[in-house]
Amino acid sequence: MKSDASTSAAPLKGLGGPLRSSEPARALPAVLPAVHLLEEASDLLVVHLDFPAALETCERAWESLAEEPASGTVVEVKCSLCVVGIQALAEMDRWREVLSWVLHYYQDPQKLPPKVLELCILLYSKMQEPGAVLAAVDAWLQDPDNQGLPEYGSLAELHVLRVLLPLGRLSEAEGLAVGSAAFGEEQREEVLQAIRTARQQSKQEPLSSQEQLKPSQEGSFSRKLMSLLRLLHRLWGSVASHLLSQPFRKSLLAALILCLLVLRFDPASPSSLPFIYQLAQLFRRIQKATLSRLYPLAFRD
């Protein structure tokens, strides 16, 4: 994913990206070492494109916050560090480690900041592995402390559209859309419409697969038949070439002479003429049939 920045960074745009060194620290106290480390990690990520160093700087900043009280400043710095770290992991094609990396610091998925959880959903959905965040998002949505947050409704909708529907969990999606008070009427109707569309598509897929299976079976039988015919044609061509070969004709002539000697037929005797005539006719029929197989255009009526 390092070579494809659009793929790795696309899910992360517009979601509160990392601070740049030229941007103010948004009133964060300058006395916190983590703030300076956050700015350094942002420069490493955005300016220098040194993703391993950016990730390592974020981890050092987290260690410096271990003894800090959980104030609003610390919460904001931790969230910004997660944003930078997630982008660095994605750029290094280590996106599968993102969820375990953030849970290493937050311990419980219920404690994840909404912005961080949103990034995880978008990233794993973009990489077509929404099942990796299913349990974490379910735990976050079921936590009573999170249900009063202003971001709850948007995260619930994102969970339905990006996680539950791609996984085919239509009943769960419908239950969340109908039972959650966080959805507005218009938002709920849009989600329910998406669920109905997904249910119709799931019903049509088995029919289309059966229709595709029947022609494929017929095509397989036709291919096998044609292969058998080609094999028979090659075998007959080999036999015919053998029949027309010079050694075979000499062998046939020798067998005819031997038959005349053993049976003591006199070729000049009138009684032996019918037998010789029948042998000649048999030989001509074999020769004509062989030539017609080898040169069908020459013997066409």
Side-chain angles (χ1 to χ4, degrees):
M1 295 181 64
K2 183 176 180 180
S3 61
D4 188 2
S6 62
T7 301
S8 58
L12 311 179
K13 293 179 180 179
L15 297 171
L19 293 174
R20 299 174 185 266
S21 59
S22 59
E23 296 179 356
R26 293 196 293 252
L28 296 180
V31 295
L32 281 176
V35 176
H36 300 292
L37 291 174
L38 172 60
E39 293 180 353
E40 180 183 348
S42 301
D43 280 343
L44 290 170
L45 175 71
V46 178
V47 179
H48 302 287
L49 302 179
D50 191 345
F51 309 123
L55 181 64
E56 189 270 337
T57 305
C58 290
E59 292 173 346
R60 285 195 290 116
W62 267 97
E63 293 175 0
S64 69
L65 292 173
E67 303 299 330
E68 294 291 336
S71 62
T73 299
V74 172
V75 171
E76 185 175 354
V77 172
K78 286 182 176 180
C79 182
S80 298
L81 288 171
C82 278
V83 172
V84 177
I86 289 173
Q87 293 192 24
L89 285 169
E91 292 290 350
M92 291 187 292
D93 201 17
R94 294 170 55 187
W95 54 271
R96 291 182 177 87
E97 304 175 28
V98 164
L99 185 60
S100 61
W101 186 78
V102 297
L103 289 177
H104 172 73
Y105 296 107
Y106 285 99
Q107 304 299 322
D108 297 323
Q110 296 92 328
K111 298 179 182 179
L112 290 176
K115 184 184 298 182
V116 173
L117 185 64
E118 183 179 8
L119 284 176
C120 291
I121 295 174
L122 291 173
L123 176 60
Y124 283 92
S125 173
K126 177 74 174 180
M127 304 311 298
Q128 298 182 359
E129 288 195 14
V133 294
L134 176 63
V137 182
D138 280 338
W140 193 93
L141 292 175
Q142 294 173 8
D143 188 85
D145 295 335
N146 296 328
Q147 293 177 2
L149 296 176
E151 299 91 349
Y152 185 86
S154 60
L155 282 176
E157 180 181 2
L158 196 65
H159 180 52
V160 170
L161 300 178
R162 297 298 188 94
V163 178
L164 295 179
L165 292 188
L167 293 175
R169 306 172 81 98
L170 304 182
S171 300
E172 295 181 31
E174 191 171 16
L176 180 61
V178 174
S180 176
F183 287 101
E185 290 300 326
E186 183 177 353
Q187 185 183 20
R188 179 179 289 106
E189 182 58 32
E190 292 178 357
V191 172
L192 291 175
Q193 179 60 38
I195 295 172
R196 287 191 291 267
T197 302
R199 183 171 283 114
Q200 292 175 356
Q201 292 176 350
S202 64
K203 291 179 179 178
Q204 294 174 357
E205 287 178 358
L207 296 177
S208 60
S209 62
Q210 291 178 1
E211 292 176 356
Q212 293 175 0
L213 181 61
K214 185 175 180 181
S216 65
Q217 291 176 345
E218 294 177 354
S220 177
F221 176 76
S222 300
R223 287 192 296 270
K224 291 179 180 179
L225 180 59
M226 292 301 298
S227 299
L228 179 60
L229 292 176
R230 284 194 295 268
L231 177 61
L232 293 176
H233 178 71
R234 287 196 297 268
L235 290 175
W236 174 252
S238 176
V239 172
S241 62
H242 178 69
L243 289 176
L244 290 178
S245 64
Q246 189 71 20
F248 177 78
R249 284 185 288 181
K250 290 181 178 179
S251 300
L252 185 62
L253 180 59
L256 178 60
I257 296 174
L258 181 62
C259 180
L260 294 177
L261 292 176
V262 171
L263 298 178
R264 299 183 182 278
F265 280 144
D266 183 7
S269 175
S271 61
S272 62
L273 291 178
F275 176 74
I276 297 176
Y277 177 76
Q278 291 177 0
L279 286 177
Q281 288 293 106
L282 177 61
F283 178 75
R284 277 196 290 268
R285 282 199 295 269
I286 293 175
Q287 186 180 31
K288 183 176 180 181
T290 304
L291 292 174
S292 65
R293 292 291 183 178
L294 293 176
Y295 310 102
L297 294 179
F299 289 86
R300 184 176 296 177
D301 293 337

